[in-house]
């Protein structure tokens, strides 16, 4: 059972890592990107759920449960920020969605290398694209109603 759950976790993470940039490119090209967005959200939800279960059932990994929960919260909140017209959404959305994507990248790099530097490096490197996205959204103006 553990191996099957881990396989689902890895496949969902891979799908999320692939769909994140597809969604971004679709949005930048002026298309809504609805299907990549739905796919990304589903992949992150599945990664968070399977990661949470794996963390709760694997000795010594319970501390990863909040990471799984926060990754899902970031993805959902990022998707809702613009759609719901949250105040300061243009500042919030890149951090929220970017944070969920950075969590996927971090998990991949840490799992594959075991190198502790990868707990921090993706977050540091991710600040530049987040800053660029914030700038573009703020220049573009308010979200359409």
């Amino acid at each position: 059972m553990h191996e099957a759950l881990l396989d689902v976790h890895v496949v969902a993470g891979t799908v999320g890592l692939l769909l994140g940039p597809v969604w971004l490119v679709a949005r930048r090209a002026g298309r809504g990107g609805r299907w990549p967005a739905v796919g990304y959200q589903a992949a992150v939800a599945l990664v968070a759920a399977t990661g949470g279960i794996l963390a709760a059932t694997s000795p010594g990994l319970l501390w990863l449960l909040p990471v799984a929960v926060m990754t899902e919260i970031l993805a959902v909140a990022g998707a809702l920020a613009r759609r719901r017209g949250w105040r300061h959404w243009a500042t919030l959305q890149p951090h929220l969605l970017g944070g969920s994507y950075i969590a996927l990248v971090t998990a991949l790099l840490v799992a594959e290398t075991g190198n502790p530097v990868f707990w921090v490096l993706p977050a540091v490197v991710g600040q530049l694209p987040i800053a660029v996205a914030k700038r573009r959204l703020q220049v573009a103006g308010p979200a359409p109603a």
Side-chain angles (χ1 to χ4, degrees):
M1 172 70 173
H2 179 81
E3 287 299 317
L5 194 59
L6 185 58
D7 288 344
V8 170
H9 183 73
V10 168
V11 168
T14 302
V15 169
L17 285 167
L18 294 172
L19 285 177
V22 171
W23 183 9
L24 176 65
V25 168
R27 293 291 303 171
R28 289 204 48 214
R31 297 186 304 272
R34 177 164 172 73
W35 294 115
V38 169
Y40 179 78
Q41 290 293 330
V44 172
L46 191 54
V47 165
T50 56
I53 293 167
L54 289 165
T57 59
S58 300
L61 294 183
L62 190 58
W63 65 275
L64 286 170
L65 184 58
V67 175
V69 171
M70 283 306 300
T71 300
E72 176 63 7
I73 289 170
L74 288 168
V76 171
L80 292 176
R82 181 179 186 147
R83 198 172 330 147
R84 303 267 191 218
W86 290 357
R87 187 170 179 213
H88 305 296
W89 73 267
T91 299
L92 291 171
Q93 188 183 46
H95 283 286
L96 295 167
L97 288 175
S100 72
Y101 194 79
I102 286 169
L104 296 179
V105 171
T106 301
L108 170 67
L109 293 174
V110 169
E112 288 300 314
T113 68
N115 190 331
V117 75
F118 289 119
W119 279 105
V120 176
L121 189 61
V124 171
V125 171
Q127 294 312 300
L128 179 61
I130 288 172
V132 169
K134 281 173 49 176
R135 177 77 175 136
R136 288 186 178 177
L137 288 173
Q138 289 167 347
V139 168

